[in-house]
Amino acid sequence: MYKMSAKPMISAQQLQTRVKELATEVGGSFEFDIVLSALTGAFMFTTDLVRAMANPKHQIKFIKASSYGSGMESSGKLKVSGLDLQELKGKRVLVVDDILDTGNTMFTLVGMLKEAGITELRTCVLMNKEERRTVDFHADYVGFEIANEFVVGYGLDFNEDYRTLPEVWTLIEV
Ligand code: IMP
Ligand code: MG
């Protein structure tokens, strides 16, 4: 059994502040056409990020990327649906995900995108668990460096629960 930590690891206010900063950082250093967001985990982060950039020329596409069968361990096999490589051709693309853990999801996804004829691709994640990395992958933009803990909320789940919370919490075994 698991329960939420007594206090959030990252408060709603800290998230809002950092996401706005990140929007300025990304928007000020990378001119792009399309935000490609990985559902479901990145849904809340993506909406806050694009709203903070507020650029009428930014288009948005969602794909579904899943590697977690259930629980806390990745199945290691990535399933991607809704990816249309044709519509990315000749575009500058910002790939957005919730968290870099082993790095397998982003590494595999970026590998698939190499076939698309994208003009320039950069990656942005809300959180990075550097300690957990098993593949050689670094995101161009990172919101928060976090310790090796399982986190939920602000889009992230444990067996599909906790996603709608506005803060990031750690899960504790009880
Ligand atoms: P990776 O492929 O191991 O880097 O894991 C990436 C995916 O696993 C993320 O997009 C999340 O959906 C999920 N994930 C990794 N760590 C956590 C966590 O601490 N909480 C919730 N989901 C996580
Ligand atoms: Mg995910």
Side-chain angles (χ1 to χ4, degrees):
M1 282 284 285
Y2 295 90
K3 66 165 192 177
M4 283 158 65
S5 46
K7 280 195 291 183
M9 176 196 239
I10 311 172
S11 71
Q13 187 56 57
Q14 285 173 308
L15 284 160
Q16 294 309 311
T17 302
R18 181 63 188 130
V19 172
K20 285 198 183 87
E21 270 175 25
L22 204 53
T24 304
E25 200 181 317
V26 176
S29 58
F30 183 36
E31 267 189 50
F32 59 90
D33 310 294
I34 296 177
V35 175
L36 186 72
S37 168
L39 295 173
T40 305
F43 87 95
M44 210 175 270
F45 173 44
T46 303
T47 56
D48 284 343
L49 187 71
V50 297
R51 257 189 302 198
M53 288 188 279
N55 184 327
K57 289 294 181 188
H58 286 168
Q59 298 182 2
I60 177 108
K61 311 270 180 211
F62 291 98
I63 56 167
K64 182 139 178 71
S66 43
S67 59
Y68 270 60
S70 65
M72 292 184 180
E73 279 311 310
S74 168
S75 69
K77 251 188 84 188
L78 187 71
K79 208 180 109 195
V80 175
S81 55
L83 180 59
D84 182 347
L85 294 183
Q86 273 306 322
E87 62 189 16
L88 302 177
K89 198 171 176 200
K91 306 287 189 195
R92 298 161 299 180
V93 179
L94 179 72
V95 180
V96 176
D97 204 1
D98 52 358
I99 190 164
L100 268 179
D101 187 37
T102 64
N104 179 53
T105 301
M106 280 299 240
F107 181 80
T108 310
L109 182 60
V110 167
M112 290 173 158
L113 294 173
K114 293 229 162 86
E115 316 290 308
I118 288 170
T119 307
E120 191 178 354
L121 182 148
R122 294 195 194 176
T123 55
C124 176
V125 294
L126 176 69
M127 290 179 280
N128 180 36
K129 285 196 248 180
E130 190 68 32
E131 215 187 299
R132 291 264 302 165
R133 198 64 33 80
T134 58
V135 297
D136 186 19
F137 185 86
H138 300 276
D140 297 301
Y141 304 98
V142 175
F144 297 88
E145 296 289 342
I146 65 164
N148 180 12
E149 288 184 281
F150 197 83
V151 290
V152 293
Y154 199 66
L156 291 96
D157 76 307
F158 175 62
N159 290 342
E160 297 298 327
D161 291 336
Y162 305 101
R163 289 196 197 274
T164 62
L165 303 176
E167 312 85 8
V168 170
W169 302 76
T170 53
L171 274 199
I172 312 165
E173 201 165 356
V174 286

